[in-house]
């Protein structure tokens, strides 16, 4: 079964990438995953960096092939994940989960666990990677395209909460802030707070 549900959320796993294709908030009656994004939520993306030449005939990203270039003149060798299987993880009186095993460039093993709690409006996502050693340039990303229309970002830095779009000096590097605990995106009606325990570097960009 590719669905996980409690009284707060209904979550669907994308059968191709193994990422989260839908999070429906039952209280708000809103979809929280941006369907217009080229990425799913918590989608694994591997980037080999900029090659010397240009690729042709990019495959569609949802086939698990190379991703098209979204970065103007630069080219990237980007690969996404392919779902291997989905199984039931925890199933108890406090929480229950799905475990998604995927195959992805740069790792010998990738496992994603999505956890829902019976009495908490909270979703935990645990990504476990067995990384292959590689000395060349590379990057590993997880995408989080939230559907918060006209939302404002705020992030928790050491001893400060800032909006990365407006609270930095002109010319400052805005691509990779190291957040202390969380990033929030909200509009006048609702918002989503994304908290991180072991991956503090975030990017406010196409991925």
């Amino acid at each position: 079964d590719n669905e996980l549900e409690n009284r707060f959320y209904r979550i669907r796993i994308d059968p191709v990438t193994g990422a989260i294709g839908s999070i429906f908030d039952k209280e708000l009656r809103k979809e929280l995953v941006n369907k217009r994004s080229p990425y799913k939520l918590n989608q694994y993306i591997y980037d080999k960096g900029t090659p010397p030449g240009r690729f042709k005939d990019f495959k569609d990203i949802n086939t698990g092939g190379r991703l098209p270039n979204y970065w103007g003149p630069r080219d990237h060798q980007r690969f996404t994940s392919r779902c291997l299987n989905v199984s039931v993880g925890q199933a108890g009186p406090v929480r229950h989960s799905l475990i998604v095993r995927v195959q992805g460039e740069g790792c010998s093993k990738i496992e994603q666990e999505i956890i829902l709690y019976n009495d908490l409006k909270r979703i935990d996502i645990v990504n476990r990677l067995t990384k292959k050693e590689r000395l060349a340039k590379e990057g590993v990303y997880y995408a989080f395209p939230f559907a918060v229309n006209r939302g404002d970002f705020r992030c928790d830095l050491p001893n400060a909460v800032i909006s990365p779009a407006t609270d930095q000096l002109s010319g400052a590097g805005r691509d990779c802030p190291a957040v202390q605990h969380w990033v929030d995106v909200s509009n006048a009606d609702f918002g989503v707070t994304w908290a991180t325990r072991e991956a503090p570097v975030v990017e406010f960009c196409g991925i």
Side-chain angles (χ1 to χ4, degrees), residues 64-183:
R66 289 176 176 152
L67 305 192
N69 173 34
Y70 291 100
W71 294 86
R74 294 188 302 160
D75 288 310
H76 289 249
Q77 295 184 78
R78 287 202 180 128
F79 301 83
T80 188
S81 55
R82 181 173 64 86
C83 185
L84 297 178
N85 60 73
V86 181
S87 60
V88 175
Q90 306 173 57
V94 176
R95 60 185 183 178
H96 52 291
S97 70
L98 288 178
I99 295 177
V100 185
R101 293 178 177 86
V102 304
Q103 185 178 47
E105 187 81 14
C107 291
S108 59
K109 181 180 179 181
I110 305 173
E111 183 178 275
Q112 305 167 354
E113 185 173 14
I114 298 94
I115 305 169
L116 288 183
Y117 298 86
N118 294 345
D119 297 316
L120 289 177
K121 192 173 185 182
R122 161 178 166 166
I123 303 169
D124 280 2
I125 300 173
V126 182
N127 294 316
R128 304 180 181 98
L129 308 177
T130 302
K131 182 73 177 61
K132 294 179 181 178
E133 182 179 6
R134 187 168 186 260
L135 301 180
K137 179 181 177 180
E138 63 179 351
V140 171
Y141 300 86
Y142 278 94
F144 290 90
F146 291 113
V148 183
N149 189 37
R150 299 182 182 276
D152 291 325
F153 283 95
R154 293 180 301 144
C155 56
D156 171 34
L157 302 184
N159 297 318
V161 174
I162 71 162
S163 170
T166 59
D167 290 341
Q168 298 189 72
L169 296 174
S170 176
R174 300 179 182 180
D175 51 349
C176 296
V179 300
Q180 187 82 345
H181 298 105
W182 53 263
V183 175

Side-chain angles (χ1 to χ4, degrees), residues 2 12-19 21 40 62 82-86:
N2 284 9
R12 290 193 179 97
I13 304 299
D14 176 55
V16 176
T17 64
K40 311 298 183 185
N62 289 328
R82 181 173 64 86
C83 185
L84 297 178
N85 60 73
V86 181

